[in-house]
């Protein structure tokens, strides 16, 4: 009898109980469904294979839950789309993330990110097309041009679809520096980018891709020009309100065109301290793009810097702007002299190869460059 009584509750009202069970089941399944839907919408970018119609099957299968909770590393490390909706603050934050484990648990072929900061079109694009051809796995390209400029890039071009979301850039102004950081941050989102080169539309390569790739990948230092210059276009641009974060003795000038490795690039886009001081005290005629990077790197990261530029330029005529080169200037002798007639240090040794790029080549030089460069520089 005791047994019968004890079992009573479980058998007494089977109708109510099964109703209760049914409710529990729906409640449980319903919340599961809600969570599942939320997660699937939230993580759509990770291309999960959740099909909505699967949810109409009343009995959940273990297979589905297993599938939907698995993210492969491949999804995580694949290069993101060049076009995104991130604001600058969001982009810089995302790009500043660093894995603390030094070794990659997958095969990573390091790439060079070529960052082009341009006013309008890239008149020398055909030369660059030739330069890049055949090395698709080893580079990535990012272009930041003025948004008012409508680029029509053919689908077959290496520049196709490589324009980053950009904002208006006033040349020689603070927005130029912001544009450089935006370019760097975009390139940092792709984990295979290992070295970063900032170039303008008037730059040309002086060597073939293979030579430039090995030079940069084996370099122990970054290439940011930094020097102390007395006078109106150097020290006179310093503002005493920058003290004590930047003193006049720490103030540096250099070319805005740089080359740096991934570690330094992350430090640069993560900097808030010096950037805030420059934003406050280095507007307009201060030319932040010529001073921010040389000053920051010389104060905080000078051990990692070779203190020289990889981009050759001719300042010999004096004045505010370097010499521009015309069609008739482009000769084999001239280009050859840029390639090898310098002396500098590379990884602690002397070398004759100091410049990998040169500027400023005007649009009219294109045809001659196309004729002379491939042979001289041994393009493939
Ligand atoms: C899970 O999926 C595998 C194949 O993907 C299938 O062989 C197996 O029968 C499924 N198991 C269940 C419980 O549905
Ligand atoms: C760029 O294209 C848009 C629409 O495609 C047009 O409205 C605008 O005028 C163009 N701008 C220039 C500078 O050509
Ligand atoms: C630079 O930007 C400031 C505002 O940020 C503006 O007042 C100034 O006119 C700009 N200078 C040039 C040369 O465009
Ligand atoms: C680079 O410049 C910094 C600061 O101007 C200086 O302290 C450092 O010694 C230089 N490094 C090299 C390798 O010349
Ligand atoms: C630098 O020179 C030393 C010996 O002088 C040599 O062992 C080393 O490989 C050289 N490094 C490079 C990068 O050429
Ligand atoms: C690149 O140039 C170097 C020397 O300038 C040459 O030895 C090499 O074969 C060239 N590479 C290709 C892929 O053409």
């Amino acid at each position: 009898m005791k047994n019968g009584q004890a079992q009573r509750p479980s058998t007494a009202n089977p109708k109510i109980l099964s109703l209760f069970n049914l409710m529990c089941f729906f409640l449980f399944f319903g919340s599961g469904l809600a969570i599942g839907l939320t997660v699937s919408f939230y993580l759509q970018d990770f291309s999960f294979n959740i099909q909505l119609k699967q949810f109409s099957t009343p009995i959940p299968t273990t297979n589905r839950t297993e599938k939907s909770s698995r993210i492969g590393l491949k999804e995580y490390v694949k290069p993101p789309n060049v076009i995104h909706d991130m604001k600058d603050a969001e982009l810089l934050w995302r790009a500043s993330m660093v894995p603390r484990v030094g070794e990659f648990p997958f095969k990573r072929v390091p790439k060079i990110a070529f960052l082009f900061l341009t006013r309008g079109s890239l008149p020398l694009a055909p030369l660059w097309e030739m330069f890049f051809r055949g090395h698709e796995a080893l580079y990535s390209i990012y272009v930041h041009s003025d948004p008012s400029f409508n680029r029509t890039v053919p689908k077959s071009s290496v520049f196709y679809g490589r324009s980053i979301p950009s904002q208006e850039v006033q040349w020689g102004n603070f927005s130029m520096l912001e544009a450089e950081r935006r370019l760097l941050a975009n390139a940092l989102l792709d984990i295979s980018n290992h070295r970063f080169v900032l170039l303008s539309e008037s730059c040309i390569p002086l060597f073939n891709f293979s030579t430039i790739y090995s030079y940069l990948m084996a370099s122990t230092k970054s290439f940011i020009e930094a020097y102390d210059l007395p006078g109106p276009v150097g020290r006179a641009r310093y503002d005493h309100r920058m003290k004590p974060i930047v003193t006049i003795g720490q103030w540096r000038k250099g070319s805005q065109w740089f080359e740096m490795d991934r570690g330094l690039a992350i430090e640069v886009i993560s900097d808030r301290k010096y950037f805030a001081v420059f934003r406050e005290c280095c507007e307009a005629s201060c030319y932040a793009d010529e001073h921010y990077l040389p000053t920051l790197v010389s104060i905080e990261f000078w051990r990692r810097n070779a203190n020289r530029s990889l981009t050759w330029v001719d300042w010999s005529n004096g004045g505010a702007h370097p010499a521009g080169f015309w069609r008739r200037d482009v000769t084999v002798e001239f280009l050859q002299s840029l390639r090898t007639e310098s002396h500098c240090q590379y990884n602690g040794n002397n070398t004759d190869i100091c410049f990998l790029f040169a500027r400023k080549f005007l649009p009219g030089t294109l045809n001659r460059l196309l004729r002379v460069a491939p042979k001289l520089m041994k393009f493939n």
Side-chain angles (χ1 to χ4, degrees):
M1 266 353 269
K2 277 233 150 153
N3 249 354
Q5 265 172 355
Q7 278 177 357
R8 237 180 184 166
S10 58
T11 49
N13 287 313
K15 271 183 196 164
I16 292 172
L17 259 179
S18 67
L19 199 66
F20 181 71
N21 275 346
L22 209 64
M23 277 168 63
C24 279
F25 174 77
F26 277 117
L27 205 67
F28 180 72
F29 178 63
S31 47
L33 181 70
I35 292 168
L37 276 173
T38 316
V39 168
S40 86
F41 284 129
Y42 194 67
L43 297 177
Q44 251 169 6
D45 273 351
F46 290 91
S47 57
F48 275 53
N49 285 326
I50 303 178
Q51 303 283 332
L52 276 184
K53 63 176 182 229
Q54 280 183 306
F55 285 105
S56 57
T57 331
I59 303 156
T61 67
T62 48
N63 265 6
R64 193 188 66 215
T65 35
E66 273 170 21
K67 248 188 205 165
S68 63
S69 59
R70 285 182 180 177
I71 303 176
L73 186 64
K74 211 166 79 188
E75 305 292 338
Y76 187 72
V77 300
K78 86 170 179 231
N81 279 340
V82 170
I83 295 300
H84 57 73
D85 292 326
M86 283 185 271
K87 297 192 188 79
D88 272 12
E90 296 168 337
L91 171 68
L92 293 174
W93 179 78
R94 173 68 189 84
S96 70
M97 293 182 182
V98 193
R100 299 239 351 232
V101 174
E103 288 124 43
F104 293 93
F106 55 92
K107 191 169 181 296
R108 173 189 184 252
V109 179
K111 291 194 236 171
I112 302 178
F114 288 84
L115 320 175
F116 288 91
L117 182 55
T118 74
R119 283 167 216 248
S121 64
L122 279 161
L124 304 179
L127 180 72
W128 286 105
E129 302 270 357
M130 228 180 224
F131 168 82
F132 286 121
R133 194 174 302 146
H135 305 282
E136 282 67 28
L138 303 178
Y139 68 82
S140 40
I141 293 174
Y142 301 83
V143 183
H144 187 312
S145 46
D146 203 283
S148 67
F149 174 72
N150 281 357
R151 181 185 303 279
T152 47
V153 183
K155 261 203 162 120
S156 58
S157 165
V158 296
F159 297 100
Y160 181 77
R162 303 308 302 176
S163 287
I164 65 161
S166 55
Q167 281 152 36
E168 200 182 330
V169 174
Q170 286 176 309
W171 249 246
N173 215 328
F174 201 78
S175 63
M176 189 103 170
L177 178 55
E178 288 175 323
E180 290 177 20
R181 285 176 29 122
R182 197 175 298 132
L183 266 169
L184 256 187
N186 272 283
L188 278 167
L189 297 183
D190 183 347
I191 202 126
S192 34
N193 287 332
H194 192 65
R195 307 283 311 203
F196 301 79
V197 192
L198 181 73
L199 299 168
S200 81
E201 68 265 52
S202 71
C203 289
I204 61 162
L206 289 176
F207 293 89
N208 65 22
F209 186 91
S210 316
T211 305
I212 289 179
Y213 185 84
S214 351
Y215 193 98
L216 292 183
M217 286 304 165
S219 173
T220 56
K221 304 229 170 172
S222 295
F223 299 92
I224 296 154
E225 188 182 38
Y227 53 92
D228 182 16
L229 182 73
V233 295
R235 285 195 172 213
R237 290 179 182 167
Y238 174 78
D239 184 327
H240 286 277
R241 289 179 298 155
M242 291 182 166
K243 267 187 298 196
I245 292 174
V246 179
T247 65
I248 182 79
Q250 293 171 322
W251 182 249
R252 290 289 180 278
K253 184 184 163 106
S255 166
Q256 72 176 110
W257 313 107
F258 60 71
E259 194 288 330
M260 59 178 90
D261 65 17
R262 189 173 181 90
L264 189 53
I266 288 174
E267 298 287 3
V268 167
I269 60 120
S270 309
D271 164 56
R272 296 169 61 75
K273 179 174 153 191
Y274 296 92
F275 192 72
V277 169
F278 271 74
R279 183 188 283 290
E280 184 66 26
C281 314
C282 187
E283 275 280 354
S285 59
C286 168
Y287 299 95
D289 53 297
E290 291 179 8
H291 295 276
Y292 168 73
L293 206 51
T295 302
L296 168 69
V297 169
S298 297
I299 296 175
E300 296 280 353
F301 311 108
W302 58 272
R303 280 173 208 276
R304 306 191 198 177
N305 187 21
N307 281 7
R308 67 183 173 92
S309 171
L310 283 184
T311 307
W312 182 90
V313 70
D314 179 11
W315 284 105
S316 63
N317 62 354
H321 300 286
F325 295 101
W326 304 81
R327 205 185 81 87
R328 60 170 189 281
D329 298 315
V330 178
T331 63
V332 171
E333 295 71 35
F334 174 59
L335 292 178
Q336 186 59 32
S337 72
L338 305 188
R339 282 156 50 91
T340 53
E341 286 177 14
S342 313
H343 306 285
C344 57
Q345 294 259 307
Y346 173 73
N347 291 352
N349 289 359
N350 293 328
T351 178
D352 293 339
I353 298 180
C354 303
F355 302 106
L356 303 182
F357 309 96
R359 58 191 276 264
K360 306 167 67 167
F361 288 77
L362 300 167
T365 57
L366 177 65
N367 284 343
R368 275 225 190 169
L369 283 168
L370 286 178
R371 223 172 327 127
V372 172
K375 213 161 152 195
L376 178 69
M377 302 171 197
K378 299 193 173 60
F379 286 3
N380 210 353

